[in-house]
Amino acid sequence: MTPAARVQAAIELLDSVIAAAQGKGAPADRLIADYFRQRRYAGSKDRRAVRELVYRAIRVCGPVPSGGRAAMIALGAEDQAILQLFDGSPHGPAPLASGEVAAEPGLAPRWLVEALAGSGIAGGEAAALLDRAPLDLRINTLKAGRESIDLPDHGEPLAAPNALRFPAGTSVDQWPAYREGLVEIQDHGSQLACVAVDAQPGETVIDLCAGAGGKTLALAAAMQNRGTLIASDTDRARLANLAPRAERAGAGMIETLLLNPGREMEALERFVGAADAVLVDAPCSGTGTWRRNPEARWRLDQAQLARFAETQDRLLDLAARLVRPGGRIVYVTCSLLDIEGAERIAHFLAEHPEWRAEPPDLPLGRTRGSGVRLTPFHDQTDGFFIARAALPC
């Protein structure tokens, strides 16, 4: 592919990403993979170059662009060499028309920028949300240790007890240690959220919104494969991904439980008042993950944000029914908005006066309300809000 053809391919992909964001369709990485699956002629260098153009353009645009061409012109305002490729050459973009307008640059749609600022995320804190994230690994202590594991690159030891950091793009999935389950890809902030659970061998722990089970696997390692560990979710497809991951990791203690949305207690009835800990890794806006999924900021609207808050309240109420006296809830969202973090745990504590706040003692993060907030700017992690609440005996 010529440089101009790469720009045109990026424009076409951006059109798809924008349409998917507006229609709550497939994420950008899947659209890019599908695009090149149908274009086998594109070599690996072409695929990397086009992908880089797409993500650079996404990061530049604040509000949702009118189209891929406007997004690429916005990127060209920062990199004039790109605009020179709008030359009308074969397979390249048509020349720029008189008065053609670039997409609006910025962090996000205006209402969302204001919401973040109201939650203390502005200036450098806000700008860091669109940096490129590193690659973090968790050493699986069911099979290895940080001091003894043999990796092609030693990585940078982090604050979480089994965390290592590598440059973005490191081909970890090609390492024997990854294929054999000695390491798992997991952001440092996500690992610290699991540290906050303080899961112990022999306990009964419920990962209420387990998804594909990244945090569940970390909890199994902390529990040394001893006790009861329930991975529950309403998403059958995501939950199905956990079994092969658990087998590879040697995490044989995990029991998966598919929940019926709105009727979760039917499946969880046997655990009422029995859990030592419930992890509520609640569905949220994902504002803390923009470094990895920058187009996510185009998918969110105010009505959806309000629905997330309602779901988070309901899940906390459900978790409270499962915990025994002396037990704990750990509430986690990968969001930097107070409406999904500090405000939700404050609402829970107001509605459940028998519970008390027990802020987690973590090596990173800053206090936010009754919890701790991790940010890309201060902590070099994805953005997280983490809170603990305890039910006295």
Side-chain angles (χ1 to χ4, degrees):
M1 298 175 71
T2 65
R6 289 173 173 175
V7 170
Q8 180 58 31
I11 289 171
E12 294 170 7
L13 272 166
L14 284 162
D15 282 333
S16 299
V17 170
I18 292 164
Q22 292 173 321
K24 307 296 191 286
D29 57 353
R30 190 185 311 164
L31 293 171
I32 293 171
D34 290 345
Y35 181 89
F36 285 114
R37 195 173 293 116
Q38 298 168 24
R39 294 164 175 81
R40 298 290 185 181
Y41 59 82
S44 60
K45 289 184 179 179
D46 293 323
R47 293 194 298 271
R48 283 195 298 272
V50 172
R51 180 185 178 90
E52 182 69 16
L53 283 169
V54 169
Y55 277 105
R56 285 175 63 197
I58 291 172
R59 286 184 167 93
V60 163
C61 302
V64 184
S66 59
R69 189 173 167 92
M72 191 56 63
I73 294 171
L75 178 60
E78 296 188 351
D79 184 351
Q80 291 292 314
I82 290 173
L83 295 183
Q84 294 173 13
L85 297 173
F86 282 70
D87 57 7
S89 59
H91 309 295
L96 295 171
S98 176
E100 192 166 4
V101 178
E104 182 181 340
L107 174 69
R110 291 184 187 86
W111 74 268
L112 189 45
V113 172
E114 292 171 1
L116 285 165
S119 298
I121 303 296
E125 285 276 20
L129 298 182
L130 295 179
D131 289 343
R132 193 174 183 189
L135 187 144
D136 296 343
L137 295 185
R138 177 182 57 81
I139 296 170
N140 176 18
T141 54
L142 295 176
K143 290 190 170 184
R146 186 152 75 175
E147 302 304 323
S148 60
I149 193 168
D150 183 18
L151 298 174
D153 184 334
H154 294 299
E156 174 193 354
L158 301 175
N162 301 296
L164 293 173
R165 174 160 292 168
F166 300 86
T170 303
S171 298
V172 170
D173 57 346
Q174 303 300 313
W175 294 356
Y178 177 82
R179 294 194 296 268
E180 295 165 10
L182 277 64
V183 295
E184 289 283 342
I185 298 172
Q186 187 178 15
D187 178 75
H188 190 208
S190 177
Q191 295 186 49
L192 290 171
C194 295
V195 169
V197 178
D198 192 28
Q200 299 295 315
E203 288 190 324
T204 295
V205 178
I206 300 173
D207 187 353
L208 194 56
C209 312
K215 292 184 180 67
T216 313
L217 295 176
L219 295 176
M223 297 172 72
Q224 302 173 22
N225 253 346
R226 291 159 42 203
T228 300
L229 178 56
I230 305 300
S232 61
D233 205 279
T234 58
D235 190 325
R236 183 186 298 273
R238 294 191 70 201
L239 199 57
N241 292 328
L242 176 53
R245 294 181 70 189
E247 182 177 2
R248 187 186 68 187
M253 69 179 299
I254 300 169
E255 176 186 346
T256 58
L257 199 59
L258 182 65
L259 306 180
N260 190 352
R263 299 167 60 183
E264 292 89 351
M265 286 306 301
E266 292 179 0
L268 292 165
E269 190 67 36
R270 62 191 165 108
F271 296 107
V272 170
D276 294 285
V278 177
L279 171 61
V280 182
D281 183 17
C284 71
S285 63
T287 51
T289 67
W290 287 354
R291 297 186 306 169
R292 304 174 195 280
N293 308 297
E295 86 278 10
R297 64 205 210 278
W298 298 343
R299 294 173 174 269
L300 187 65
D301 56 48
Q302 289 166 292
Q304 185 182 31
L305 184 59
R307 289 193 296 272
F308 278 133
E310 291 175 359
T311 299
Q312 291 151 7
D313 286 341
R314 189 175 64 81
L315 289 169
L316 280 166
D317 289 343
L318 195 158
R321 297 178 60 185
L322 301 174
V323 176
R324 65 165 181 80
R328 60 210 181 270
I329 291 172
V330 176
Y331 174 70
V332 177
T333 56
C334 50
S335 173
L336 295 171
L337 295 168
D338 284 342
I339 190 175
E340 299 185 286
E343 291 178 19
R344 296 281 59 76
I345 198 69
H347 179 270
F348 172 78
L349 293 169
E351 293 292 314
H352 299 268
E354 70 276 20
W355 288 76
R356 69 171 187 271
E358 193 178 76
D361 182 16
L362 297 176
L364 298 177
R366 296 185 171 194
T367 299
R368 191 74 181 176
S370 295
V372 171
R373 186 163 70 181
L374 303 170
T375 71
F377 183 75
H378 281 288
D379 306 298
Q380 292 77 54
T381 68
D382 284 351
F384 280 95
F385 177 80
I386 306 168
R388 277 174 54 133
L391 181 62
C393 295

